[in-house]
Amino acid sequence: MNDIVQAEDLEQFEVNDLYKATQLLLQEFQQSKEEEHPGKIKELSDHLKKRLMNKAAYPLAVLLECGHLAIRHQLQKDWNSPMKQRQLFLFENLMAQFRGKVPPEVWNQICLAYAEALLPTGRSIDALAVLDDMAEKEGEPFYERQNAERGWALVMYSTFLRDQFEKAQGLHTARDLLRQAQQDISDERGRALYGQRLQLAERMLEKLGAVDVTEGYTLNLFEGKQKQYREWCAEHRLLLNGANDIDPAKASKIETFRYRPAGDDKEQAEFLESFLKSLMQEFTALRWTLFEALEDSEVSAEGGYDRTEQLKSVYRHAFSLFDKIALFLNHAYKLEVDLPRTSMQRIWFEEEHPKKPLKPFIKDTKNDALKALYWLSKELFGYERSDRQSLPMIRATQLRHQLERSFVQVVESPEAAVKTGELRKHQMTQKELERMAVTLTFKARTALMYLRYAVDLKAK
């Protein structure tokens, strides 16, 4: 490592040696909180990205950069630092660019690192979804950690839950997963890490006290099409129900989304309760439309339905929910923003301008669910402290604008698309439209869950 640190020409070294040296420098930086060789970690990660460009190992060089950004962010007093924004931006691009294109050991490392980066932002629901994306491979070191990391995410998620049954269920599940990790993980350092997290889960359960988790369970007395629909919702984590994130297979297939009014202003509480109920009903309506478009064999063009138009409608409707969530925040926190300026992209900032400082209600908050909602809005609408935006964000907003202001022609396969001309800009495949509609519906559901928890924590 000393030779590498002192060298002016890095081309003389093998990639593996450069990678290991960078890892060692990152470990030293993490322990000492100072860079013994300032600028060297960045130089090495940048060099590795050039050497590994267009190769399967390229993401590993980006992960080194993300690790460097994470440590630098920890040393800041600003929870919304440029380093954190840059780190999340890089992860979003990695997930979009390399899905299905790299070996499982590389993909699983991306997923695990991304989940670890999401959890400090409060986005435990998103972290659980990322972990579900990991590629199954027996004996692969990073896949060994999947369930342990899921347990850690549930520990973090449980801090949002005010319902004692849901909290107990989440912590019991987390404890079981973290216990199992002591057998599943072959790496000694990994076992030690999750062993510490297991101790935290056990202390939280002890503090919670005895709770009969079976009391909060509701029988799933659904039949026929409704049963099929509810099981589909649970499988895709689309129920407005915290238990759906804890254990989709065993969760009650009902909605438990409720508003708990607080304070003496009964008129305000009644307004917010009606508003949140309306958001819930809008979401369940678009969710049903998505189910019909994807799963219901009775729906067909001959019957007066068009699956493609249903998917387009779901996408537009899901995007509109985010602006309505911003309107809810405007009323709940009494921000007094004019209606035309109230959007999920702008509500966080002074004068509703992304280049202005954050407003006190978000900048100074201790409400981690509200921060999670803020960070989710960055993924959807862009990082104001970044000179570039992620590929998924650009594609998602582009499709929204096309659906609202122009048109989109859906083709069956990439081969059916025209090669050049104006029409090419307005074409996409059926598979991509389905994937984007499902993804955005999940994000809308996630935003509503964070909103619900933010309101609960605010009342508490």
Side-chain angles (χ1 to χ4, degrees):
M1 187 183 77
N2 290 331
D3 292 341
I4 289 173
V5 166
Q6 296 170 14
E8 294 184 4
D9 179 19
L10 296 175
E11 293 286 348
Q12 62 184 298
F13 299 101
E14 296 290 333
V15 166
N16 284 344
D17 293 330
L18 293 171
Y19 183 78
K20 291 176 182 177
T22 311
Q23 284 186 312
L24 286 171
L25 288 172
L26 283 170
Q27 290 173 16
E28 290 180 356
F29 185 21
Q30 179 72 66
Q31 292 168 1
S32 66
K33 307 305 178 187
E34 290 185 8
E35 289 193 64
E36 186 175 347
H37 307 280
K40 200 65 184 181
I41 295 175
K42 185 178 187 307
E43 180 188 352
L44 283 166
S45 61
D46 287 346
H47 176 80
L48 282 168
K49 285 197 292 185
K50 291 179 182 177
R51 289 271 292 269
L52 295 172
M53 184 66 70
N54 299 322
K55 296 181 180 178
Y58 174 80
L60 300 181
V62 180
L63 291 182
L64 292 174
E65 181 182 356
C66 289
H68 189 211
L69 290 165
I71 302 170
R72 291 173 59 206
H73 169 71
Q74 290 170 5
L75 300 177
Q76 305 295 310
K77 294 181 179 179
D78 181 9
W79 60 265
N80 185 37
S81 75
M83 282 74 77
K84 192 63 182 178
Q85 294 208 12
R86 171 72 179 172
Q87 183 198 38
L88 294 175
F89 158 82
L90 289 172
F91 274 121
E92 288 164 20
N93 275 320
L94 284 177
M95 295 290 287
Q97 289 180 278
F98 294 97
R99 185 185 301 275
K101 299 179 181 177
V102 290
E105 53 270 22
V106 176
W107 177 250
N108 288 341
Q109 194 169 342
I110 294 171
C111 292
L112 198 65
Y114 188 23
E116 281 281 314
L118 285 170
L119 288 173
T121 69
R123 293 178 61 190
S124 46
I125 298 175
D126 301 275
L128 288 165
V130 169
L131 294 170
D132 285 344
D133 264 349
M134 292 181 75
E136 183 175 355
K137 185 177 181 182
E138 197 70 29
E140 197 276 300
F142 297 100
Y143 182 70
E144 286 180 346
R145 298 189 178 201
Q146 183 191 43
N147 282 329
E149 190 67 20
R150 186 179 283 120
W152 178 233
L154 289 176
V155 170
M156 304 296 282
Y157 186 46
S158 70
T159 62
F160 289 168
L161 304 174
R162 287 184 67 189
D163 183 281
Q164 295 297 294
F165 303 115
E166 285 186 353
K167 184 183 283 286
Q169 184 186 6
L171 286 172
H172 277 288
T173 305
R175 182 191 60 186
D176 293 344
L177 290 169
L178 289 166
R179 278 179 176 172
Q180 185 62 39
Q182 301 306 299
Q183 301 176 32
D184 294 342
I185 298 175
S186 55
D187 175 58
E188 185 177 341
R189 291 178 62 185
R191 288 197 304 273
L193 171 64
Y194 291 106
Q196 293 173 354
R197 294 174 174 182
L198 170 60
Q199 292 175 7
L200 176 59
E202 289 173 336
R203 289 198 299 270
M204 291 172 71
L205 272 170
E206 184 178 345
K207 184 178 179 180
L208 183 62
V211 178
D212 183 359
V213 295
T214 62
E215 282 189 27
Y217 185 78
T218 303
L219 291 175
N220 296 306
L221 302 177
F222 302 107
E223 296 180 352
K225 185 175 179 179
Q226 186 66 213
K227 181 180 179 181
Q228 180 190 357
Y229 167 63
R230 292 283 170 176
E231 289 177 348
W232 175 85
C233 291
E235 179 187 352
H236 291 84
R237 296 179 189 260
L238 292 177
L239 292 169
L240 296 175
N241 178 347
N244 196 190
D245 299 303
I246 297 167
D247 191 338
K250 297 179 181 178
S252 298
K253 310 300 190 291
I254 59 172
E255 321 295 344
T256 60
F257 202 77
R258 300 290 183 271
Y259 174 73
R260 294 183 173 92
D264 299 326
D265 192 338
K266 293 183 179 180
E267 185 176 332
Q268 169 80 344
E270 184 178 340
F271 170 77
L272 292 176
E273 183 176 8
S274 298
F275 197 158
L276 202 57
K277 185 177 181 181
S278 174
L279 290 175
M280 169 186 168
Q281 291 170 339
E282 283 196 51
F283 173 77
T284 54
L286 77 87
R287 186 182 65 188
W288 176 262
T289 304
L290 180 64
F291 167 73
E292 284 192 325
L294 297 178
E295 302 291 329
D296 192 346
S297 60
E298 296 178 7
V299 175
S300 64
E302 290 76 15
Y305 296 94
D306 187 300
R307 294 177 189 273
T308 298
E309 293 307 316
Q310 282 183 308
L311 290 169
K312 290 180 182 180
S313 174
V314 166
Y315 195 84
R316 289 193 301 268
H317 198 168
F319 246 119
S320 73
L321 280 175
F322 295 109
D323 286 339
K324 292 180 180 181
I325 290 173
L327 280 167
F328 183 93
L329 292 172
N330 188 27
H331 290 291
Y333 285 88
K334 300 180 180 179
L335 303 177
E336 299 182 354
V337 179
D338 293 338
L339 182 61
R341 299 171 64 85
T342 307
S343 70
M344 197 68 150
Q345 183 180 17
R346 297 176 174 273
I347 197 169
W348 315 103
F349 306 99
E350 297 286 0
E351 300 177 23
E352 295 72 58
H353 195 294
K355 296 300 181 182
K356 298 285 185 179
L358 292 176
K359 292 178 180 176
F361 91 99
I362 180 65
K363 180 181 179 182
D364 303 328
T365 188
K366 304 297 182 185
N367 189 324
D368 287 341
L370 185 63
K371 287 182 180 178
L373 192 55
Y374 166 82
W375 283 115
L376 179 58
S377 77
K378 297 297 97 185
E379 180 179 332
L380 288 160
F381 298 103
Y383 294 94
E384 74 278 359
R385 301 172 79 171
S386 176
D387 57 348
R388 290 184 295 165
Q389 300 302 337
S390 69
L391 296 175
M393 174 264 169
I394 293 171
R395 180 62 178 132
T397 53
Q398 178 190 45
L399 178 58
R400 180 193 188 185
H401 292 152
Q402 285 181 320
L403 290 174
E404 290 182 345
R405 301 172 187 174
S406 181
F407 87 105
V408 173
Q409 184 186 48
V410 178
V411 295
E412 287 299 319
S413 65
E415 292 74 23
V418 297
K419 304 303 179 186
T420 58
E422 190 66 26
L423 181 59
R424 181 69 189 93
K425 301 175 185 177
H426 294 80
Q427 287 184 324
M428 68 186 305
T429 64
Q430 181 78 16
K431 186 176 180 180
E432 184 185 14
L433 178 59
E434 290 176 2
R435 178 182 58 78
M436 293 185 72
V438 170
T439 298
L440 194 63
T441 301
F442 176 77
K443 292 186 184 303
R445 181 264 182 186
T446 302
L448 285 171
M449 295 300 289
Y450 289 148
L451 178 65
R452 176 256 179 107
Y453 297 136
V455 169
D456 282 352
L457 291 171
K458 180 175 182 290
K460 184 179 178 181

